Amino acid sequence: MPKVVYLPLDERPCNYLFPRRLAEMTDLELAVPDIHLLGRKKQPADTAAVREWLLHEAEGADYLLVSIDLLIYGGIVPSRLHHLTFEECLERLSVLTEIKERHPGIWIHAFNLIMRVPNNNKDEEEPDYYKFHGGQIFKYSFLTDKAERDQLNDNERMELEQLKTLIPEPYLNDFVGRRGVNQQVNHYTLKLAEEGIIDHLIIPLDDNSEYGFSPKEQQMLICRVEELGIMDRVMIYPGADEIGCTMFAHIFCELKQYKPEIYVRYSSTKGPWIKPKYEDRSLNESVKSHLTASGAVLADHSGDTPFVLIVHSPAVDQAGMAEQIPFRERHRSYFSEIHYREIVERMEAYLRKGKHVALGDVATCNGGDPVLINLLKKKGLLDQLTAYAGWNTSGNTLGTVIAHFVIISYYLERPESAAYPEIVRESRKFYYERLVEDFIYQSIVRQDMLEHDLPRLDASYYVIGHCLDEVHSILTDKMNRAAEQYFGDIPEGRIRLQRLHFPWKRMFEIGFELDIETESTTIAAE
């Protein structure tokens, strides 16, 4: 059994658990560190202990799949808060060279983010001063880059000069200085890729935009990739919390010498060309990146392949994209440029032809689209899809659903395998887990709790720690009732949700265990 050693981006389920769930569909062994080594939100991981764990687990391993952000900074949030020097970063990174020297046959796949510049005044995952100056720092980043690449109008020039006086110099120096160190690390990883220490590298852009520090750094990195002649080993595109799944799928395909062709169909004519919120490029370019990074290729025609990815896409760029708001309040394009009935009937036609259909639900941010899911449910198609995701950003969704689709597609073409029934069971559990979290929680239950439960508990989106037991109880009750409503008649059995909780004591994400109860056995997923 091939062994993959996985160091996740942080301890949240999307990073720590999702790749493990994918591995359970395969004959690969995935070794992960004890979750207590990985820190918690702003508290960094024990990087010294992580180093020792990597050195130990590399013995007999075939692959390392490593988050450099956790290896060096202690996680995604600590990467935005640290005060390390570049030299200290290199010392922590040196373990990869040490492992390669000890085990020349090991393959190292790694990823490290281009640090984000969020457009808000929140210090939830940023330095404390972001609460007061975050939006200003974003706009400063945006305008300074635009001034270099294009041209500012008079109002923009005046705004930029004003921002220089509004943002306290120590705060701006801290933010820009940290980015400088992180950028040096990113450039150094390119050197490791050139030297063959890192065999495959992804540098995701975490929450970016058309202008700003992130796209500027991206351009410099891509130019350096071309100079070094390593375009075949390095990818740079929008993403973050889905990369563990993506790179595991890529490793799976390498080991199996498998490269599936996947046909992509959009729900909106404008869909392939829109730029999603939190990203800097057209949706179709991102889709191609996620497919390539996962080990798949884009099929030219639906007749070329049994695998179809439906991308439920918005028809309006960034500012107009809907979050989880009432349907009637959405941008006008949701009523004229997305044909819900047509895409559902097209999915039904693909299924009649015996094709396997996955759904990347990215028409809305931070949760699936209830309009589409309800129509699929009414048509009796919700339990016939092969893979689904609809969470957070477009990149998070696409990376997750494509990774799942790529892996299970290998086994769907080999039903004679003795392990096939168990693999399919694990795949179905992950499919329902994604619907439960990405649709039922993010689109329905979370909104219900925010409106009806948190106010009476004197709680809010980021403040639930004082009433955690009560919100856990409310969450459990509402989630199970919604799961019964949507999945009470699925052929696999009856879904039960247990141990529901908020990993970071906020409403943004949940953790849970899903059981599928049948008459003869209970299939449990942790």
Side-chain angles (χ1 to χ4, degrees):
M1 178 182 292
K3 177 182 177 182
V4 180
V5 177
Y6 173 52
L7 184 64
L9 182 57
D10 63 28
E11 79 285 1
R12 287 173 297 157
C14 57
N15 292 309
Y16 187 74
L17 182 60
F18 288 12
R20 292 171 60 193
R21 297 289 294 115
L22 294 181
E24 289 168 1
M25 302 172 202
T26 74
D27 57 355
L28 277 60
E29 175 189 355
L30 188 71
V32 296
D34 188 290
I35 197 168
H36 299 295
L37 289 182
L38 301 183
R40 184 176 179 84
K41 201 176 178 179
K42 288 190 174 184
Q43 177 187 341
D46 185 342
T47 54
V50 165
R51 177 190 180 97
E52 292 306 311
W53 179 83
L54 276 175
L55 288 168
H56 177 265
E57 290 295 332
E59 297 285 341
D62 300 280
Y63 281 84
L64 255 59
L65 172 47
V66 177
S67 163
I68 289 175
D69 290 286
L70 189 131
L71 179 63
I72 294 178
Y73 314 117
I76 186 172
V77 175
S79 75
R80 306 164 186 160
L81 306 172
H82 72 88
H83 293 94
L84 297 170
T85 65
F86 177 55
E87 290 70 28
E88 289 171 322
C89 294
L90 292 190
E91 172 58 30
R92 296 182 179 185
L93 187 57
S94 66
V95 67
L96 298 185
T97 301
E98 185 176 348
I99 289 172
K100 199 75 165 187
E101 289 173 348
R102 290 189 189 184
H103 313 286
I106 201 168
W107 291 78
I108 299 180
H109 289 221
F111 60 101
N112 53 306
L113 309 182
I114 294 178
M115 194 177 93
R116 73 180 189 176
V117 189
N119 185 17
N120 58 53
N121 288 332
K122 296 177 182 177
D123 63 350
E124 175 74 9
E125 301 179 27
E126 317 299 328
D128 294 345
Y129 55 77
Y130 222 85
K131 183 176 182 179
F132 307 101
H133 301 284
Q136 295 170 350
I137 291 173
F138 169 83
K139 201 57 183 288
Y140 175 86
S141 160
F142 185 97
L143 291 176
T144 53
D145 183 41
K146 187 177 181 183
E148 291 181 15
R149 291 168 51 192
D150 296 321
Q151 188 173 0
L152 302 182
N153 60 40
D154 290 342
N155 289 336
E156 288 172 330
R157 281 193 293 271
M158 290 175 58
E159 184 177 10
L160 180 56
E161 291 305 312
Q162 186 180 29
L163 287 168
K164 292 176 182 177
T165 65
L166 292 175
I167 306 171
E169 187 175 356
Y171 297 160
L172 188 59
N173 289 343
D174 174 75
F175 191 84
V176 173
R178 182 175 300 108
R179 292 195 71 91
V181 172
N182 292 12
Q183 184 181 347
Q184 284 181 287
V185 169
N186 283 346
H187 278 272
Y188 191 80
T189 60
L190 299 182
K191 181 174 180 291
L192 294 181
E194 181 195 27
E195 294 173 350
I197 304 300
I198 295 176
D199 298 284
H200 181 53
L201 175 67
I202 293 181
I203 302 180
L205 292 98
D206 184 14
D207 288 3
N208 67 108
S209 59
E210 184 177 3
Y211 295 104
F213 293 144
S214 295
K216 180 179 179 179
E217 292 169 19
Q218 173 191 219
Q219 181 176 349
M220 290 187 289
L221 285 164
I222 291 177
C223 288
R224 186 60 178 155
V225 167
E226 172 60 20
E227 289 172 4
L228 296 174
I230 52 175
M231 195 75 77
D232 58 332
R233 279 175 276 163
V234 180
M235 292 189 66
I236 304 174
Y237 63 89
D241 292 320
E242 81 292 339
I243 298 293
C245 294
T246 298
M247 298 194 81
F248 178 77
H250 188 104
I251 289 170
F252 175 85
C253 288
E254 280 192 357
L255 286 167
K256 300 297 184 183
Q257 297 185 343
Y258 176 63
K259 190 170 286 293
E261 293 190 24
I262 296 176
Y263 179 71
V264 176
R265 173 71 145 75
Y266 291 86
S267 62
S268 167
T269 302
K270 293 184 176 180
W273 293 280
I274 64 98
K275 290 181 180 177
K277 193 176 286 190
Y278 314 115
E279 300 192 359
D280 68 339
R281 67 201 64 196
S282 62
L283 181 56
N284 197 54
E285 286 303 316
S286 288
V287 169
K288 290 192 290 185
S289 291
H290 289 285
L291 286 169
T292 303
S294 295
V297 293
L298 185 65
D300 292 328
H301 306 285
S302 62
D304 294 341
T305 175
F307 305 113
V308 177
L309 171 66
I310 301 295
V311 177
H312 178 39
S313 49
V316 62
D317 280 348
Q318 302 175 339
M321 280 187 66
E323 299 279 344
Q324 294 309 311
I325 59 175
F327 183 54
R328 65 182 177 275
E329 296 177 12
R330 294 182 186 179
H331 187 273
R332 288 280 179 90
S333 63
Y334 284 84
F335 311 116
S336 58
E337 292 287 345
I338 298 176
H339 204 308
Y340 284 91
R341 181 171 172 180
E342 188 278 337
I343 197 62
V344 169
E345 294 194 3
R346 180 66 265 180
M347 294 164 74
E348 187 174 29
Y350 285 135
L351 291 166
R352 281 199 306 268
K353 292 180 178 181
K355 294 187 183 294
H356 305 284
V357 179
L359 173 58
D361 194 352
V362 298
T364 57
C365 296
N366 294 304
D369 186 348
V371 180
L372 178 63
I373 298 299
N374 287 332
L375 190 53
L376 288 169
K377 170 69 174 173
K378 189 172 184 179
K379 293 281 286 184
L381 302 178
L382 200 54
D383 59 8
Q384 296 187 41
L385 304 183
T386 298
Y388 173 85
W391 64 291
N392 206 7
T393 69
S394 171
N396 294 151
T397 285
L398 292 170
T400 305
V401 69
I402 289 172
H404 180 192
F405 202 29
V406 164
I407 290 171
I408 194 58
S409 71
Y410 175 84
Y411 294 102
L412 290 173
E413 292 192 312
R414 294 160 178 80
E416 72 283 354
S417 165
Y420 181 77
E422 179 61 27
I423 289 166
V424 170
R425 279 195 293 270
E426 294 299 329
S427 177
R428 297 310 290 163
K429 285 188 293 184
F430 190 69
Y431 169 71
Y432 287 117
E433 286 166 7
R434 301 281 41 81
L435 276 167
V436 161
E437 182 169 8
D438 302 358
F439 171 62
I440 286 182
Y441 174 66
Q442 294 195 20
S443 304
I444 299 176
V445 171
R446 180 168 60 184
Q447 313 311 312
D448 184 35
M449 291 181 67
L450 288 171
E451 182 178 355
H452 298 108
D453 300 303
L454 297 195
R456 65 181 175 81
L457 297 172
D458 195 27
S460 61
Y461 199 90
Y462 293 110
V463 181
I464 58 174
H466 65 286
C467 54
L468 208 55
D469 288 343
E470 188 160 1
V471 292
H472 282 166
S473 177
I474 295 169
L475 175 70
T476 300
D477 176 61
K478 291 190 172 183
M479 288 291 292
N480 273 301
R481 282 196 281 118
E484 178 67 22
Q485 175 187 346
Y486 278 91
F487 311 123
D489 56 354
I490 61 171
E492 290 87 351
R494 192 172 187 180
I495 286 179
R496 284 289 177 265
L497 306 175
Q498 303 178 68
R499 297 179 177 83
L500 288 105
H501 64 282
F502 298 97
W504 278 4
K505 296 182 181 179
R506 64 182 189 178
M507 298 293 292
F508 191 76
E509 66 272 282
I510 59 171
F512 61 94
E513 295 176 10
L514 182 146
D515 298 338
I516 301 180
E517 298 176 354
T518 65
E519 292 183 1
S520 58
T521 184
T522 298
I523 309 170
E526 295 187 6

